[in-house]
Amino acid sequence: MEKIDIDDFLKLKRKDRNKILCEFSENLCKEICKLKNIEYDENIFYTAKEIYYNSIYFSDFESYCRDVSYIVSEDVKRVKKYELKNVISSYNGYINKIKKYKQFENKIQKEGFSNLEKKYKENLRNLFIKMLDFKKRKYDKNGALLDLIEEIELCYYDFDYIWSPLYQLLYNKCIYKDTIRDEFWVINADDVEYLDILNRTYEYFSEDEKIYKDYEPYYEEITLEENQTLEDIYNAEIEKIKNLFIEMLKYKNIEFKEDDYYSLKNQVFKNYEKFRDSLIHYESIVEHDVHGTYIDMITEIRNEYKFLEENYRK
């Protein structure tokens, strides 16, 4: 399979462009199915859904197919040049991805899965030790790799989009895809996906240490005391903001009969109209986000506490 030259493609008439795009995309889909042992459904869009639910490496192919569908649709009177460039760029990106996938397959056959896994895990261990030492964390350097990731999460949570799938892969060689359609969907990783993600994670942070040493963090570092859990910290933060709600209501001489967290929060919501947008956002993270972690919630409570405490007297 070859890449499409964007400049040559743009010179074609729309009918010819659509024919090439449909034909090449179908062949691309078949090639992905061949690599991932997925049955081609004779319909690229139905098959793209199967790829979405059964591949980590090519999971965004369904999105590419939607872009192709839009471009070739007769209902679309005029396709903009940048839209054509974007879809061809995506196509060429998949050609590169397939090439790399095959190269990694060959690498596994030559060097052996177990040897590569051992090497990549050791690389990650050394990386995590460097990252934790940089933060001057107290931890067990001889701990399991999963334990090191849990410690990493506490002080580098801004990179959770990397740590969470990595943890899942190391724990059970799968990832849990968070989708609007089904909340969490388990996707088992094949050998290429598993080893490549381990290796790319290591290379991402080791090739440029500034990525983890010099960035503007959104999340505060969290240090757990002996036998303390994230749930303990979360409960303490809830109690703290609950007391602030009491303070805010007393400031306005508002009487309240019930002093549980939710009743107090609702009273604040009713009597501090200027904070409604902020409190709605707060609720969406702390109370309604089913995928939110304790660190997400702790951070949101602390941010809301600081905001309310600094502004409610104004």
Side-chain angles (χ1 to χ4, degrees), residues 32-40 47 50-51 54-55:
I32 293 172
C33 288
K34 185 178 177 182
L35 290 176
K36 292 294 301 175
N37 294 316
I38 295 171
E39 184 178 352
Y40 181 65
T47 307
E50 287 300 306
I51 293 172
N54 292 282
S55 174

Side-chain angles (χ1 to χ4, degrees), residues 123-131 201-202 205-206 212:
N123 286 344
L124 285 173
R125 170 179 291 279
N126 293 332
L127 170 67
F128 293 158
I129 287 173
K130 286 179 67 175
M131 293 176 72
T201 301
Y202 168 75
F205 290 103
S206 62
Y212 70 86

